[in-house]
Amino acid sequence: MKVTINCDMGEGFGLYRMGDDEGLMPMTDLANVACGFHASDPVVMRKTVRLAKLKNVQVGAHPSLPDLQGFGRREMKIEPDELRAVLIYQVGALSGFLHTEGMKLSHIKPHGSLYGMAARMPEVIEAVCDVAGQFGVPVLGMSGTLHEEVCKARGVPMVPEFFADLDYDKNGKLLITREHAAVDARAAAQRVLRVLREGKVASAEGPDVALHAESICVHSDTPGAVAVAQAVRKAVDDFNRAAGARG
Amino acid sequence: MKVTINCDMGEGFGLYRMGDDEGLMPMTDLANVACGFHASDPVVMRKTVRLAKLKNVQVGAHPSLPDLQGFGRREMKIEPDELRAVLIYQVGALSGFLHTEGMKLSHIKPHGSLYGMAARMPEVIEAVCDVAGQFGVPVLGMSGTLHEEVCKARGVPMVPEFFADLDYDKNGKLLITREHAAVDARAAAQRVLRVLREGKVASAEGPDVALHAESICVHSDTPGAVAVAQAVRKAVDDFNRAAGARG
Amino acid sequence: MKVTINCDMGEGFGLYRMGDDEGLMPMTDLANVACGFHASDPVVMRKTVRLAKLKNVQVGAHPSLPDLQGFGRREMKIEPDELRAVLIYQVGALSGFLHTEGMKLSHIKPHGSLYGMAARMPEVIEAVCDVAGQFGVPVLGMSGTLHEEVCKARGVPMVPEFFADLDYDKNGKLLITREHAAVDARAAAQRVLRVLREGKVASAEGPDVALHAESICVHSDTPGAVAVAQAVRKAVDDFNRAAGARG
Amino acid sequence: MKVTINCDMGEGFGLYRMGDDEGLMPMTDLANVACGFHASDPVVMRKTVRLAKLKNVQVGAHPSLPDLQGFGRREMKIEPDELRAVLIYQVGALSGFLHTEGMKLSHIKPHGSLYGMAARMPEVIEAVCDVAGQFGVPVLGMSGTLHEEVCKARGVPMVPEFFADLDYDKNGKLLITREHAAVDARAAAQRVLRVLREGKVASAEGPDVALHAESICVHSDTPGAVAVAQAVRKAVDDFNRAAGARG
């Protein structure tokens, strides 16, 4: 199985732009498309789904806590059953656009604070798993967290991912920021290659942490995102070729 | 084909209640379920879909202009292509809940101002038709308006409906109100029977207008809605029995 | 100083109703008016302010976390500085209606989860205090919590209140519920009198807890709220008369 | 009286940016600050008000129809009395930030579709006038339209403005666009000078139209807005100096 690149897409809203979707789509295998709760709106969603179709990119749902003003990056207490409904609504809305474009839903990846909550609160990842199971798609998540443990327990496939442009602490916890800082494209690509080859990355504090990844996430709202994606694309392609030669 | 009763449902929002869905569901054949743009939220939508399933009621989408505060009853200029996206989003979201409950989408009925706009603006009803066509379901609309004309022209089936609890003017135009006034249950039932048998109703100004109906709409936010629905249910059942005996 | 009754008001939204403001206003001294973030909208706010003016009721702001769908009853992580801005916006909006009606802002009382957070998170009550100070009004809060401690430290007056229709645990912590259950009017009035006379109330677990109150809160969305308010009004008037006779 | 430059400011939302407020503020006399209904949020509003204070720029309210997703550029039917409430809410919210910064409200300028509606629907500009009157500030509007006529009739001062970066038709009607196209800075400055000196501008169709202006509007979301503002600033300063020398 080839390592993929996934990218959060369709995060504009009305006249507002966020991320260079056109620039990034050609480097992407899996588009995580915002569903209107942290970003996006019906027009942006349709445009993003069509762009993905044009570039042969698979489309997954990128559902969020209901928090447009906070871009889904403010943690919120939400009952598990309410969360299930909130997820079904968003996945359904995206599926509407996939249906009209003749495409299939590829995966679900929770966005922002919901992603972080799902990594440490069983009831949150359980809700995500259940909805992924109902739509018959895998979850994009992190190895070594509740993402992996709960998906396994519920029989829902999980694709483990590594964030090329975010830091991890020495316990392997992802350090989510409300606005993403610029990263060096070469350094990002090297981090990616090391994770893929050795299963390790240097933490923000220095020591290495172990991480298993089958997909690499590149954020579209990181300054210089296209350069990062190009460098990571090359790294991933090199790795896939070498793995193919070995396999 | 039997005449049906359709009812707008799931129009609560958060802690707010609107309409006695539990009381009306047993009298209903087709539930027009709000999709979060004029009313409803994910929790209310799921609850409404489950209630419909329990009572063997078919579920259609009741999409609206994006206007939660105005309950979709404030007309708004919206580009046809934006409207298509707005409709797909809402129909998709509802379809998410239908999917998880193992149900099929039954129809689409535009809500409030969108319904009125669709009756007189070709580009609006064209957008509704196109989305109904993409989801393979009929439109619930009014005979003698652009609803009928455009659905026919686009090859999308339309089920003509009569509003048991609203007035029509002498040109057959529905008089939509932001808040619905109480109506007399008996009088509503008699109006319904006359429409079904004679294809006529007395307009607000007095003179009869011709109307063809295969479904009767009862609003859940009309004061005394359950009594109206009971009376109309009996009238429709009587009509269907008589029609069956004739057929 | 007389003991007052305060009541959350103006919690409708669009066509949705919440609480019997007309029924409760005559029993109220201080109206805590929703500002559009957990409930209310411009039309509801103006109507509520005008009703208060008509009944000689003082108007304070009842600002909330930004959470209309959750009625401000879902806890949310929010930066203190963002919270200050969120509070100023809401207090300012309400002050707009007070200005056009020739009234003065009376107080600030945080709503729902924000109220609870302010009782235990210093940075939250500090933000509330700072904004109250900037508008020159007291905070309505709870004795024995951070409300009292931080208001005192920042030199902002706090009016301690007792909730006639909610339970307290044995540590004096208010048990906030997303939907309010019915309470017995007589029992509520007796709880109020005991708090005013003895400074004590029976906790949900049984043992008494000490509470000091100068204002009594009656919720308008509790079933039977008007009867509760009438009984509490009588209890408070009796207490005030007796205190006046003693003074 | 000196001619001023006014600029729509604070039109970001959450993480989204719109317009180079920092770049434009030094060239601006009057900032029209968005109030959260078409753009902006509490954090953006406070930041914008503070930036204006720092640069000695006067702050007016830039209220809109409630349409965040459409950036207030979709026309909507709204009852005059509801509109008044919607305006008071927004002006009040902005006044909250002005109050905490020790500033005074300078003026009101309706945004987007509301601006256009106010130029041709008496009940809309009447609502704007009434609210401006209640807050004791002038309206920024267009000469030769209902803006001028109704303000005069209601005794509310109006400052007539000219749009440096938008076209007018041959009847003097402003051609409002959902996204603003780039304009040539030099040409814009020359248009401004001609309007100030001769009271005329070439319409989109060619023929001149008469326009009287005492303030020049530069949009911050026009591509190249800073260069346009610099050129217009110089033109306005030249005109003011010459007028001062003449006066």
Side-chain angles (χ1 to χ4, degrees):
Chain A
M1 202 179 110
K2 284 189 170 186
V3 171
T4 56
I5 291 181
N6 75 81
C7 191
D8 301 348
M9 298 257 173
E11 294 191 321
F13 173 68
L15 295 187
Y16 298 113
R17 301 282 169 265
M18 177 73 70
D20 181 1
D21 288 9
E22 304 240 341
L24 284 164
M25 201 62 91
M27 266 84 79
T28 302
D29 301 295
L30 308 174
N32 315 310
V33 176
C35 301
F37 276 45
H38 75 283
S40 203
D41 61 43
V43 172
V44 171
M45 285 172 79
R46 186 179 52 189
K47 189 180 165 190
T48 309
V49 167
R50 285 178 176 172
L51 180 63
K53 187 182 181 184
L54 197 70
K55 301 291 180 187
N56 279 312
V57 171
Q58 309 239 52
V59 171
H62 199 37
S64 169
L65 295 171
D67 178 24
L68 196 58
Q69 195 219 307
F71 206 70
R73 289 178 182 161
R74 299 189 291 201
E75 208 164 292
M76 183 186 294
K77 271 195 192 157
I78 188 163
E79 294 296 315
D81 218 45
E82 180 163 5
L83 178 56
R84 277 179 182 79
V86 159
L87 291 169
I88 294 169
Y89 185 94
Q90 294 180 74
V91 175
L94 178 65
S95 298
F97 294 103
L98 293 173
H99 171 75
T100 58
E101 298 299 326
M103 298 171 77
K104 292 273 174 213
L105 183 72
S106 151
H107 63 279
I108 295 178
K109 172 176 168 175
H111 166 83
S113 286
L114 186 62
Y115 188 86
M117 291 162 71
R120 60 175 208 280
M121 300 178 185
E123 68 278 14
V124 172
I125 182 63
E126 283 164 14
V128 173
C129 272
D130 289 353
V131 173
Q134 289 174 309
F135 284 88
V137 294
V139 171
L140 217 55
M142 288 189 293
S143 69
T145 71
L146 281 183
H147 291 174
E148 190 173 45
E149 190 179 321
V150 172
C151 282
K152 189 171 289 177
R154 304 231 153 186
V156 171
M158 191 198 83
V159 179
E161 68 173 337
F162 172 70
F163 289 86
D165 47 21
L166 290 183
D167 279 325
Y168 292 79
D169 73 12
K170 64 185 173 189
N171 302 312
K173 190 173 163 281
L174 186 66
L175 300 170
I176 298 175
T177 50
R178 190 146 168 193
E179 297 199 59
H180 295 144
V183 296
D184 180 70
R186 261 178 76 119
Q190 284 170 342
R191 277 157 51 96
V192 164
L193 271 182
R194 190 161 176 244
V195 161
L196 294 179
R197 289 171 179 157
E198 304 175 30
K200 283 182 194 162
V201 68
S203 68
E205 294 98 332
D208 281 353
V209 286
L211 279 172
H212 173 60
E214 295 168 16
S215 188
I216 307 299
C217 179
V218 176
H219 282 104
S220 64
D221 61 331
T222 306
V226 174
V228 172
Q230 283 170 324
V232 171
R233 178 79 266 171
K234 191 178 172 311
V236 167
D237 287 347
D238 288 351
F239 177 82
N240 282 337
R241 254 192 307 276
R246 277 200 310 275
Chain B
M1 202 181 110
K2 286 190 169 183
V3 170
T4 56
I5 292 180
N6 76 80
C7 190
D8 301 348
M9 298 256 172
E11 294 190 322
F13 173 67
L15 296 187
Y16 297 112
R17 302 282 168 264
M18 178 72 71
D20 180 2
D21 287 8
E22 303 242 342
L24 285 165
M25 201 62 90
M27 266 84 80
T28 302
D29 300 297
L30 308 174
N32 314 310
V33 176
C35 301
F37 276 44
H38 76 282
S40 202
D41 62 44
V43 172
V44 171
M45 285 171 79
R46 185 179 51 190
K47 189 181 164 189
T48 308
V49 167
R50 285 179 177 171
L51 180 64
K53 186 183 181 184
L54 196 70
K55 302 289 181 189
N56 280 313
V57 171
Q58 308 240 52
V59 171
H62 198 38
S64 169
L65 295 172
D67 178 22
L68 195 58
Q69 195 219 307
F71 206 72
R73 289 178 182 161
R74 298 189 291 202
E75 208 163 292
M76 184 187 294
K77 271 195 192 158
I78 187 162
E79 295 296 316
D81 218 44
E82 180 163 5
L83 179 56
R84 277 178 180 80
V86 159
L87 291 169
I88 294 169
Y89 185 94
Q90 293 181 74
V91 175
L94 178 65
S95 298
F97 294 104
L98 293 172
H99 171 75
T100 59
E101 299 298 326
M103 298 171 77
K104 293 272 175 214
L105 183 73
S106 151
H107 62 280
I108 295 179
K109 171 175 168 175
H111 166 84
S113 287
L114 186 62
Y115 188 86
M117 291 162 69
R120 61 176 205 279
M121 300 179 186
E123 69 278 14
V124 172
I125 181 62
E126 283 165 14
V128 172
C129 272
D130 289 354
V131 173
Q134 289 174 309
F135 283 89
V137 295
V139 170
L140 217 56
M142 287 189 294
S143 69
T145 72
L146 282 184
H147 290 173
E148 191 174 45
E149 188 178 323
V150 172
C151 282
K152 189 171 289 181
R154 304 231 153 187
V156 171
M158 191 199 82
V159 179
E161 67 174 337
F162 172 70
F163 289 85
D165 46 22
L166 290 182
D167 279 325
Y168 292 80
D169 73 13
K170 64 184 173 192
N171 302 313
K173 190 174 161 281
L174 186 65
L175 300 170
I176 297 176
T177 49
R178 191 149 168 191
E179 296 199 58
H180 294 145
V183 296
D184 179 69
R186 261 178 78 119
Q190 283 169 343
R191 278 157 50 95
V192 165
L193 271 182
R194 187 157 179 246
V195 161
L196 294 179
R197 289 172 181 159
E198 306 174 30
K200 284 182 193 164
V201 68
S203 69
E205 294 97 332
D208 281 352
V209 285
L211 278 171
H212 172 59
E214 294 168 17
S215 187
I216 308 300
C217 179
V218 177
H219 283 104
S220 64
D221 61 331
T222 306
V226 174
V228 173
Q230 281 170 326
V232 171
R233 178 78 268 171
K234 192 178 170 313
V236 167
D237 287 346
D238 288 351
F239 177 82
N240 281 337
R241 253 193 308 276
R246 279 196 310 276
Chain C
M1 201 179 111
K2 284 190 171 183
V3 170
T4 57
I5 292 181
N6 76 81
C7 192
D8 301 348
M9 298 256 173
E11 294 191 322
F13 173 68
L15 296 187
Y16 297 112
R17 301 281 169 266
M18 177 73 70
D20 180 2
D21 287 8
E22 304 240 341
L24 284 165
M25 201 63 91
M27 266 85 79
T28 301
D29 300 295
L30 308 174
N32 314 310
V33 176
C35 301
F37 275 46
H38 76 282
S40 203
D41 61 44
V43 173
V44 171
M45 285 172 79
R46 185 179 52 190
K47 188 181 165 190
T48 309
V49 167
R50 285 178 177 172
L51 179 64
K53 187 183 181 184
L54 195 72
K55 303 290 180 187
N56 280 313
V57 171
Q58 309 239 53
V59 171
H62 199 39
S64 168
L65 295 172
D67 178 24
L68 195 59
Q69 195 220 308
F71 206 70
R73 290 179 181 161
R74 298 188 292 201
E75 207 163 291
M76 183 186 294
K77 270 194 193 158
I78 187 162
E79 294 296 315
D81 218 45
E82 180 164 3
L83 178 56
R84 277 178 181 80
V86 159
L87 291 169
I88 293 169
Y89 184 95
Q90 294 181 74
V91 175
L94 178 66
S95 298
F97 294 103
L98 293 173
H99 171 75
T100 58
E101 298 298 326
M103 299 172 75
K104 292 274 176 213
L105 183 73
S106 152
H107 63 279
I108 295 179
K109 172 176 168 175
H111 165 83
S113 287
L114 186 62
Y115 188 86
M117 290 161 70
R120 60 175 206 279
M121 300 177 185
E123 69 279 13
V124 171
I125 181 63
E126 284 165 14
V128 173
C129 272
D130 290 353
V131 174
Q134 288 173 310
F135 284 88
V137 295
V139 171
L140 216 56
M142 288 189 293
S143 70
T145 71
L146 282 183
H147 291 173
E148 190 173 43
E149 189 178 321
V150 172
C151 282
K152 188 170 291 180
R154 305 231 153 185
V156 172
M158 191 199 83
V159 179
E161 68 173 337
F162 172 70
F163 290 86
D165 46 22
L166 289 183
D167 280 324
Y168 292 80
D169 73 11
K170 65 184 172 189
N171 301 313
K173 190 174 163 282
L174 186 66
L175 301 169
I176 299 175
T177 50
R178 191 148 168 190
E179 296 198 59
H180 294 146
V183 296
D184 179 70
R186 262 177 76 119
Q190 283 169 343
R191 277 157 50 95
V192 164
L193 272 182
R194 188 159 178 245
V195 161
L196 294 179
R197 290 171 181 161
E198 304 174 32
K200 282 181 194 164
V201 68
S203 67
E205 295 98 333
D208 281 353
V209 286
L211 279 170
H212 173 61
E214 293 168 17
S215 187
I216 307 299
C217 179
V218 177
H219 283 103
S220 65
D221 62 331
T222 305
V226 174
V228 172
Q230 282 170 326
V232 170
R233 178 79 265 169
K234 191 177 174 312
V236 166
D237 287 346
D238 288 351
F239 178 82
N240 281 337
R241 254 194 307 277
R246 276 198 310 276
Chain D
M1 201 180 110
K2 285 189 170 185
V3 171
T4 56
I5 292 181
N6 76 81
C7 191
D8 301 348
M9 298 259 173
E11 294 191 321
F13 173 68
L15 296 186
Y16 298 112
R17 301 281 168 266
M18 178 72 71
D20 180 3
D21 288 7
E22 305 240 341
L24 285 165
M25 200 62 90
M27 266 85 79
T28 302
D29 300 296
L30 308 174
N32 315 310
V33 176
C35 301
F37 275 45
H38 76 283
S40 202
D41 62 44
V43 172
V44 171
M45 285 171 79
R46 185 179 52 190
K47 189 180 163 189
T48 309
V49 167
R50 286 179 177 172
L51 180 64
K53 186 183 182 185
L54 196 71
K55 302 290 180 187
N56 280 313
V57 172
Q58 308 239 52
V59 171
H62 198 38
S64 169
L65 296 171
D67 178 23
L68 195 58
Q69 195 219 307
F71 206 70
R73 290 178 182 161
R74 298 189 291 201
E75 208 163 293
M76 184 186 295
K77 270 195 193 157
I78 188 163
E79 295 296 315
D81 218 45
E82 179 163 4
L83 179 57
R84 278 178 181 81
V86 159
L87 291 170
I88 294 169
Y89 184 94
Q90 293 180 75
V91 175
L94 178 65
S95 299
F97 295 103
L98 293 173
H99 170 74
T100 58
E101 297 299 325
M103 298 170 77
K104 293 273 175 213
L105 184 72
S106 151
H107 62 279
I108 295 179
K109 172 176 168 176
H111 166 83
S113 286
L114 186 63
Y115 188 87
M117 291 162 69
R120 60 175 207 280
M121 301 178 185
E123 68 278 14
V124 172
I125 182 63
E126 283 165 14
V128 173
C129 272
D130 290 353
V131 173
Q134 289 173 309
F135 284 88
V137 294
V139 171
L140 216 57
M142 288 189 294
S143 70
T145 71
L146 283 183
H147 290 174
E148 191 174 44
E149 189 179 321
V150 172
C151 282
K152 188 170 291 179
R154 305 231 152 187
V156 172
M158 191 199 82
V159 179
E161 68 174 335
F162 172 70
F163 290 85
D165 46 21
L166 290 182
D167 279 324
Y168 292 79
D169 72 12
K170 64 186 172 189
N171 301 313
K173 189 174 162 282
L174 185 65
L175 301 169
I176 298 176
T177 50
R178 190 148 169 193
E179 297 198 58
H180 294 144
V183 296
D184 179 70
R186 263 178 77 119
Q190 284 169 343
R191 277 158 49 97
V192 165
L193 271 181
R194 189 160 177 244
V195 162
L196 294 179
R197 289 171 180 158
E198 305 175 31
K200 283 181 192 165
V201 68
S203 68
E205 295 97 333
D208 280 353
V209 286
L211 278 172
H212 172 61
E214 294 168 18
S215 188
I216 307 299
C217 180
V218 177
H219 283 103
S220 65
D221 62 329
T222 305
V226 174
V228 172
Q230 282 170 326
V232 171
R233 177 79 267 170
K234 192 179 171 311
V236 167
D237 287 346
D238 288 351
F239 177 82
N240 281 337
R241 253 193 308 275
R246 279 197 311 276

